[in-house]
Amino acid sequence: MSSLFPHHPVHSPPAFSSNITSYTASVSSATTSLVVDVTYPNGGSATVDGHPIHQGIFNLIVILGGGGSSNPIPLNVGPNTFTIVETGQDGSTATYTVVVTRRTPLQDWASGAGLPDNALDPLGDFNGDGLKNILKWAFLTDFGSAPLGPIQVNGNALNSYGTPVLLTVPNGSGGLDKYALFGRRVDAGGVGLTYTVEFSADLSTWVPSTDTPTVVATDGTLQAVTVPFPPLVNGVPPKYFHIKVTGQ
């Protein structure tokens, strides 16, 4: 075999050498299929995951999970492994393995920001600021190691990104209405992020809010949203809230 490499949309395809039998590459989360070019000498043959390849250069849409080479199937998020077997004119064979990892949206963000490899784990804390990587991504906090400040809003202006904070507003009756105030990415739906506000009276039992968040400020990238404290949680006025963030 004279060449074997993932084609566009892999930005830097691995260089092929007949002495190297294992290759890795990565693609963005938006990439749903992959083209691989395979070239081998006349008189030989090759297969990809058991499917024959035509003589000469063959553009194959490679998919993990079966199916013919002519019908594309989406790449899975995560590692996708496929095997190419070349058979020479003399009957000798050579086997090559290619693992192409389709990144998650969080990993796209980390890679695009030039962050280290330990930023790719959503439950990691690459800079030691006490906030999990998925929360840094969800709240668009900065990358410093200093303690994080809360999100700051002035009127309908979003002054700075930060962590969720308790917002109190005079209710006109001598008391205060309480809200959970937090940042939510404008593209949250597109990148698979969900934000669930939960309230508690004792830090033991948490109840999700049934209110729709209200956007109070935005800069086009992040929205500052509020959710009101409910009157009671299991018959007791709540004192605490947290934001549960899930994503790929």
Side-chain angles (χ1 to χ4, degrees), residues 172-237:
S173 301
L176 296 173
D177 290 334
K178 296 193 297 184
Y179 298 84
L181 170 65
F182 62 98
R184 182 179 66 187
R185 294 177 64 106
V186 171
D187 64 355
V191 298
L193 274 174
T194 61
Y195 303 71
T196 303
V197 184
E198 296 185 333
F199 294 96
S200 176
D202 56 10
L203 296 176
S204 177
T205 301
W206 293 90
V207 176
S209 172
T210 59
D211 289 298
T212 300
T214 298
V215 178
V216 296
T218 184
D219 63 1
T221 300
L222 193 77
Q223 297 170 331
V225 299
T226 59
V227 172
F229 272 57
L232 300 173
V233 170
N234 294 332
V236 181

Side-chain angles (χ1 to χ4, degrees), residues 13-217:
F16 175 76
S17 170
S18 60
N19 297 322
I20 300 174
T21 59
S22 296
Y23 297 86
T24 60
S26 66
V27 297
S28 73
S29 63
T31 302
T32 58
S33 62
L34 182 68
V35 175
V36 173
D37 291 341
V38 180
T39 305
Y40 55 87
N42 291 332
S45 63
T47 62
V48 173
D49 290 343
H51 299 291
I53 298 177
H54 299 299
Q55 183 68 29
I57 299 178
F58 179 78
N59 291 330
L60 175 69
I61 302 206
V62 178
I63 327 306
L64 182 65
S69 60
S70 60
N71 297 317
I73 304 170
L75 283 170
N76 293 329
V77 173
N80 296 261
T81 303
F82 53 94
T83 302
I84 298 176
V85 178
E86 178 197 16
T87 302
Q89 287 179 302
D90 60 359
S92 62
T93 62
T95 301
Y96 303 89
T97 301
V98 180
V99 179
V100 178
T101 298
R102 180 181 170 191
R103 297 189 298 268
T104 66
L106 180 148
Q107 292 167 343
D108 283 344
W109 162 77
S111 298
L115 302 181
D117 288 345
N118 58 352
L120 302 178
D121 177 5
L123 299 182
D125 177 9
F126 79 90
N127 61 354
D129 64 3
L131 205 63
K132 289 182 172 59
N133 294 330
I134 190 172
L135 299 181
K136 301 186 211 307
W137 177 48
F139 300 137
L140 289 175
T141 57
D142 63 29
F143 306 142
S145 58
L148 295 169
I151 186 171
Q152 295 185 23
V153 175
N154 184 8
N156 61 357
L158 177 56
N159 287 353
S160 66
Y161 301 165
T163 53
V165 66
L166 171 66
L167 174 68
T168 57
V169 178
N171 60 17
S173 301
L176 296 173
D177 290 334
K178 296 193 297 184
Y179 298 84
L181 170 65
F182 62 98
R184 182 179 66 187
R185 294 177 64 106
V186 171
D187 64 355
V191 298
L193 274 174
T194 61
Y195 303 71
T196 303
V197 184
E198 296 185 333
F199 294 96
S200 176
D202 56 10
L203 296 176
S204 177
T205 301
W206 293 90
V207 176
S209 172
T210 59
D211 289 298
T212 300
T214 298
V215 178
V216 296

